Amino acid sequence: MSIIYGPVPSWRLGRSLGIDLLPGDGKTCSFDCVYCQLGRTTRPLAERAEFVSLEALAQELKGVRRIGADYVTFSGMGEPTLAINLGEAIRLARRTLGLPIAVLTNSSLMPSADVRQDLGYADVVVAKLDAPNEELFRRINRPLVGYSLEEIVRAISSFRAGYQGKLALDMMFIRANKRLASEMAALARRLVPDEVQVNTPLRPCAVAPLTAEEIAAIRAEFGGLPVVTVYEAARPQVSPLDVDETLRRRPSARHPGHGVPSPGKE
Ligand code: SF4
């Protein structure tokens, strides 16, 4: 299998069966986040394209019909909304597997109406927001798209207004933004999410994670909002269908002490 991987134990989605619609070699992303566990973005991209055909996906889905998973999650080696056939792939996966569908997005392409439409087919959308101002957005996420942070925030707000599913905000906290937790909470209040996921990079990467105490202090700034944190969440035990494909997208699973497989982006 080269498109489907996992299930992986996800702190936000339980047992998560991954689908990766991006090319298999290197990371294809519209961001180059300083904390990315996949390393630097080797294929920077801001335009949508087809990388994996629906026929190829249908073929792989046939092999996993009775898998035990809580969600099918579109994620993988980069930004899933770059796949122009994401909406059709979501509907195909739901029809075939009968499981709820989640998409983990970096939010960078949400100003595009076609991206918002595709995300609207998912049961859960986890949208990344790591900075409350443009300067920090550029420093942490190193965007390769032309949209400003404000344009992205307005697009998430517009998506929120028409979306019937669960919208979660994924907020990654590191040294660079830890003192701006109250501004981040204000941003979250503006977007009325169903959940705020307070995260810090626990898997090996170029940036050190914040401690459990630091994350608890950040959490306190989010009073009145439905918050989960990466330190508090439980992770289920899972057995991946294909260990090599799972490790390729979850390199931290090779490091002792992080379990096999790792929760990766999930
Ligand atoms: S963390 Fe996600 S959005 Fe950021 S560079 Fe890595 S794959 Fe792209």
Side-chain angles (χ1 to χ4, degrees), residues 11-36:
W11 68 277
R12 22 188 173 201
L13 296 165
R15 296 167 303 163
S16 165
L17 183 70
I19 296 184
D20 186 353
L21 297 177
L22 299 169
D25 51 333
K27 184 177 68 169
T28 304
C29 198
S30 46
F31 279 179
D32 190 15
C33 302
V34 290
Y35 56 75
C36 186

mmCIF file of all heavy atoms in Angstrom, residues 11-36:
data_model
loop_
_atom_site.group_PDB
_atom_site.id
_atom_site.type_symbol
_atom_site.label_atom_id
_atom_site.label_comp_id
_atom_site.label_asym_id
_atom_site.label_seq_id
_atom_site.Cartn_x
_atom_site.Cartn_y
_atom_site.Cartn_z
ATOM 1 N N TRP A 11 -4.004 11.367 19.319
ATOM 2 C CA TRP A 11 -4.471 11.961 20.584
ATOM 3 C C TRP A 11 -5.757 12.740 20.382
ATOM 4 O O TRP A 11 -6.461 13.027 21.332
ATOM 5 C CB TRP A 11 -3.389 12.826 21.214
ATOM 6 C CG TRP A 11 -3.011 14.093 20.498
ATOM 7 C CD1 TRP A 11 -2.134 14.208 19.460
ATOM 8 C CD2 TRP A 11 -3.455 15.421 20.793
ATOM 9 N NE1 TRP A 11 -2.014 15.525 19.090
ATOM 10 C CE2 TRP A 11 -2.811 16.298 19.894
ATOM 11 C CE3 TRP A 11 -4.337 15.971 21.740
ATOM 12 C CZ2 TRP A 11 -3.013 17.674 19.897
ATOM 13 C CZ3 TRP A 11 -4.529 17.340 21.743
ATOM 14 C CH2 TRP A 11 -3.880 18.174 20.836
ATOM 15 N N ARG A 12 -6.113 13.056 19.151
ATOM 16 C CA ARG A 12 -7.357 13.800 18.941
ATOM 17 C C ARG A 12 -8.439 12.996 18.252
ATOM 18 O O ARG A 12 -9.601 13.344 18.300
ATOM 19 C CB ARG A 12 -7.108 15.076 18.149
ATOM 20 C CG ARG A 12 -5.850 15.067 17.341
ATOM 21 C CD ARG A 12 -5.541 16.399 16.739
ATOM 22 N NE ARG A 12 -4.237 16.377 16.096
ATOM 23 C CZ ARG A 12 -3.532 17.440 15.835
ATOM 24 N NH1 ARG A 12 -3.992 18.613 16.159
ATOM 25 N NH2 ARG A 12 -2.373 17.341 15.230
ATOM 26 N N LEU A 13 -8.060 11.867 17.588
ATOM 27 C CA LEU A 13 -9.044 11.135 16.788
ATOM 28 C C LEU A 13 -9.151 9.652 17.148
ATOM 29 O O LEU A 13 -9.842 8.907 16.461
ATOM 30 C CB LEU A 13 -8.700 11.280 15.294
ATOM 31 C CG LEU A 13 -8.787 12.709 14.729
ATOM 32 C CD1 LEU A 13 -8.091 12.798 13.372
ATOM 33 C CD2 LEU A 13 -10.230 13.159 14.609
ATOM 34 N N GLY A 14 -8.464 9.203 18.174
ATOM 35 C CA GLY A 14 -8.521 7.779 18.528
ATOM 36 C C GLY A 14 -7.713 6.955 17.542
ATOM 37 O O GLY A 14 -6.579 7.296 17.192
ATOM 38 N N ARG A 15 -8.305 5.854 17.032
ATOM 39 C CA ARG A 15 -7.604 5.018 16.031
ATOM 40 C C ARG A 15 -7.856 5.628 14.660
ATOM 41 O O ARG A 15 -8.982 5.657 14.173
ATOM 42 C CB ARG A 15 -8.133 3.587 16.084
ATOM 43 C CG ARG A 15 -7.849 2.872 17.406
ATOM 44 C CD ARG A 15 -8.656 1.590 17.511
ATOM 45 N NE ARG A 15 -10.088 1.881 17.379
ATOM 46 C CZ ARG A 15 -11.031 0.991 17.100
ATOM 47 N NH1 ARG A 15 -10.707 -0.272 16.910
ATOM 48 N NH2 ARG A 15 -12.301 1.336 17.002
ATOM 49 N N SER A 16 -6.785 6.111 14.062
ATOM 50 C CA SER A 16 -6.932 6.918 12.852
ATOM 51 C C SER A 16 -6.261 6.222 11.660
ATOM 52 O O SER A 16 -5.048 6.001 11.658
ATOM 53 C CB SER A 16 -6.282 8.284 13.115
ATOM 54 O OG SER A 16 -6.087 8.986 11.919
ATOM 55 N N LEU A 17 -7.077 5.872 10.671
ATOM 56 C CA LEU A 17 -6.555 5.267 9.439
ATOM 57 C C LEU A 17 -6.221 6.404 8.473
ATOM 58 O O LEU A 17 -7.096 7.187 8.097
ATOM 59 C CB LEU A 17 -7.610 4.339 8.824
ATOM 60 C CG LEU A 17 -7.163 3.589 7.567
ATOM 61 C CD1 LEU A 17 -6.119 2.514 7.921
ATOM 62 C CD2 LEU A 17 -8.349 2.948 6.854
ATOM 63 N N GLY A 18 -4.955 6.503 8.078
ATOM 64 C CA GLY A 18 -4.524 7.643 7.267
ATOM 65 C C GLY A 18 -4.665 7.415 5.775
ATOM 66 O O GLY A 18 -4.493 6.303 5.275
ATOM 67 N N ILE A 19 -5.004 8.485 5.059
ATOM 68 C CA ILE A 19 -4.962 8.489 3.592
ATOM 69 C C ILE A 19 -4.096 9.666 3.179
ATOM 70 O O ILE A 19 -4.319 10.801 3.614
ATOM 71 C CB ILE A 19 -6.368 8.601 2.967
ATOM 72 C CG1 ILE A 19 -7.196 7.360 3.316
ATOM 73 C CG2 ILE A 19 -6.266 8.777 1.446
ATOM 74 C CD1 ILE A 19 -8.576 7.328 2.671
ATOM 75 N N ASP A 20 -3.112 9.372 2.329
ATOM 76 C CA ASP A 20 -2.181 10.407 1.869
ATOM 77 C C ASP A 20 -2.326 10.550 0.358
ATOM 78 O O ASP A 20 -1.931 9.661 -0.400
ATOM 79 C CB ASP A 20 -0.753 9.977 2.234
ATOM 80 C CG ASP A 20 0.276 11.058 1.924
ATOM 81 O OD1 ASP A 20 -0.105 12.077 1.310
ATOM 82 O OD2 ASP A 20 1.448 10.874 2.286
ATOM 83 N N LEU A 21 -2.905 11.664 -0.091
ATOM 84 C CA LEU A 21 -3.126 11.897 -1.523
ATOM 85 C C LEU A 21 -1.958 12.630 -2.173
ATOM 86 O O LEU A 21 -2.062 13.073 -3.315
ATOM 87 C CB LEU A 21 -4.414 12.716 -1.730
ATOM 88 C CG LEU A 21 -5.720 12.057 -1.277
ATOM 89 C CD1 LEU A 21 -6.893 13.026 -1.493
ATOM 90 C CD2 LEU A 21 -5.972 10.757 -2.033
ATOM 91 N N LEU A 22 -0.856 12.780 -1.429
ATOM 92 C CA LEU A 22 0.299 13.533 -1.948
ATOM 93 C C LEU A 22 1.338 12.574 -2.530
ATOM 94 O O LEU A 22 1.296 11.376 -2.260
ATOM 95 C CB LEU A 22 0.902 14.364 -0.815
ATOM 96 C CG LEU A 22 -0.065 15.394 -0.222
ATOM 97 C CD1 LEU A 22 0.493 15.988 1.057
ATOM 98 C CD2 LEU A 22 -0.362 16.494 -1.234
ATOM 99 N N PRO A 23 2.296 13.093 -3.308
ATOM 100 C CA PRO A 23 3.336 12.220 -3.870
ATOM 101 C C PRO A 23 4.139 11.564 -2.749
ATOM 102 O O PRO A 23 4.316 12.144 -1.678
ATOM 103 C CB PRO A 23 4.230 13.188 -4.659
ATOM 104 C CG PRO A 23 3.474 14.455 -4.778
ATOM 105 C CD PRO A 23 2.498 14.507 -3.660
ATOM 106 N N GLY A 24 4.633 10.350 -3.010
ATOM 107 C CA GLY A 24 5.301 9.587 -1.953
ATOM 108 C C GLY A 24 6.713 10.044 -1.626
ATOM 109 O O GLY A 24 7.239 9.729 -0.582
ATOM 110 N N ASP A 25 7.356 10.807 -2.520
ATOM 111 C CA ASP A 25 8.774 11.146 -2.303
ATOM 112 C C ASP A 25 8.907 12.557 -1.739
ATOM 113 O O ASP A 25 8.683 13.545 -2.403
ATOM 114 C CB ASP A 25 9.542 11.038 -3.624
ATOM 115 C CG ASP A 25 8.862 11.816 -4.729
ATOM 116 O OD1 ASP A 25 7.620 11.978 -4.653
ATOM 117 O OD2 ASP A 25 9.558 12.299 -5.650
ATOM 118 N N GLY A 26 9.286 12.651 -0.471
ATOM 119 C CA GLY A 26 9.493 13.968 0.144
ATOM 120 C C GLY A 26 8.197 14.603 0.614
ATOM 121 O O GLY A 26 7.120 14.034 0.495
ATOM 122 N N LYS A 27 8.326 15.805 1.160
ATOM 123 C CA LYS A 27 7.178 16.506 1.738
ATOM 124 C C LYS A 27 6.659 17.569 0.768
ATOM 125 O O LYS A 27 7.420 18.413 0.307
ATOM 126 C CB LYS A 27 7.590 17.160 3.058
ATOM 127 C CG LYS A 27 6.428 17.836 3.776
ATOM 128 C CD LYS A 27 6.848 18.425 5.120
ATOM 129 C CE LYS A 27 7.782 19.582 4.969
ATOM 130 N NZ LYS A 27 8.008 20.326 6.229
ATOM 131 N N THR A 28 5.351 17.510 0.490
ATOM 132 C CA THR A 28 4.703 18.462 -0.410
ATOM 133 C C THR A 28 3.833 19.361 0.450
ATOM 134 O O THR A 28 2.818 18.922 0.979
ATOM 135 C CB THR A 28 3.829 17.718 -1.439
ATOM 136 O OG1 THR A 28 4.650 16.777 -2.127
ATOM 137 C CG2 THR A 28 3.218 18.683 -2.441
ATOM 138 N N CYS A 29 4.236 20.608 0.611
ATOM 139 C CA CYS A 29 3.485 21.454 1.533
ATOM 140 C C CYS A 29 3.518 22.920 1.114
ATOM 141 O O CYS A 29 4.426 23.358 0.416
ATOM 142 C CB CYS A 29 4.016 21.296 2.956
ATOM 143 S SG CYS A 29 2.828 21.875 4.197
ATOM 144 N N SER A 30 2.517 23.636 1.568
ATOM 145 C CA SER A 30 2.422 25.074 1.329
ATOM 146 C C SER A 30 3.012 25.865 2.506
ATOM 147 O O SER A 30 3.012 27.086 2.486
ATOM 148 C CB SER A 30 0.955 25.449 1.133
ATOM 149 O OG SER A 30 0.175 24.823 2.134
ATOM 150 N N PHE A 31 3.451 25.157 3.527
ATOM 151 C CA PHE A 31 4.147 25.739 4.672
ATOM 152 C C PHE A 31 5.508 25.031 4.811
ATOM 153 O O PHE A 31 5.733 23.963 4.228
ATOM 154 C CB PHE A 31 3.379 25.494 5.981
ATOM 155 C CG PHE A 31 2.231 26.442 6.258
ATOM 156 C CD1 PHE A 31 1.467 26.270 7.416
ATOM 157 C CD2 PHE A 31 1.899 27.481 5.415
ATOM 158 C CE1 PHE A 31 0.403 27.122 7.703
ATOM 159 C CE2 PHE A 31 0.833 28.334 5.685
ATOM 160 C CZ PHE A 31 0.082 28.156 6.839
ATOM 161 N N ASP A 32 6.343 25.606 5.653
ATOM 162 C CA ASP A 32 7.616 24.959 6.017
ATOM 163 C C ASP A 32 7.825 25.234 7.511
ATOM 164 O O ASP A 32 8.781 25.905 7.906
ATOM 165 C CB ASP A 32 8.745 25.551 5.150
ATOM 166 C CG ASP A 32 10.040 24.773 5.301
ATOM 167 O OD1 ASP A 32 9.998 23.650 5.831
ATOM 168 O OD2 ASP A 32 11.095 25.304 4.899
ATOM 169 N N CYS A 33 6.913 24.709 8.315
ATOM 170 C CA CYS A 33 6.867 25.033 9.756
ATOM 171 C C CYS A 33 8.196 24.692 10.444
ATOM 172 O O CYS A 33 8.784 23.637 10.174
ATOM 173 C CB CYS A 33 5.743 24.267 10.426
ATOM 174 S SG CYS A 33 4.132 24.593 9.698
ATOM 175 N N VAL A 34 8.599 25.542 11.362
ATOM 176 C CA VAL A 34 9.889 25.331 12.035
ATOM 177 C C VAL A 34 9.909 24.040 12.851
ATOM 178 O O VAL A 34 10.971 23.480 13.088
ATOM 179 C CB VAL A 34 10.256 26.522 12.962
ATOM 180 C CG1 VAL A 34 10.588 27.759 12.156
ATOM 181 C CG2 VAL A 34 9.166 26.794 13.989
ATOM 182 N N TYR A 35 8.721 23.575 13.260
ATOM 183 C CA TYR A 35 8.650 22.392 14.136
ATOM 184 C C TYR A 35 8.247 21.119 13.380
ATOM 185 O O TYR A 35 7.945 20.102 14.004
ATOM 186 C CB TYR A 35 7.625 22.642 15.259
ATOM 187 C CG TYR A 35 6.258 23.012 14.730
ATOM 188 C CD1 TYR A 35 5.407 22.057 14.171
ATOM 189 C CD2 TYR A 35 5.813 24.320 14.762
ATOM 190 C CE1 TYR A 35 4.171 22.392 13.660
ATOM 191 C CE2 TYR A 35 4.581 24.669 14.244
ATOM 192 C CZ TYR A 35 3.762 23.694 13.698
ATOM 193 O OH TYR A 35 2.535 24.027 13.182
ATOM 194 N N CYS A 36 8.232 21.148 12.052
ATOM 195 C CA CYS A 36 7.691 20.003 11.299
ATOM 196 C C CYS A 36 8.505 18.737 11.553
ATOM 197 O O CYS A 36 9.719 18.721 11.378
ATOM 198 C CB CYS A 36 7.652 20.315 9.809
ATOM 199 S SG CYS A 36 6.833 18.996 8.882
#
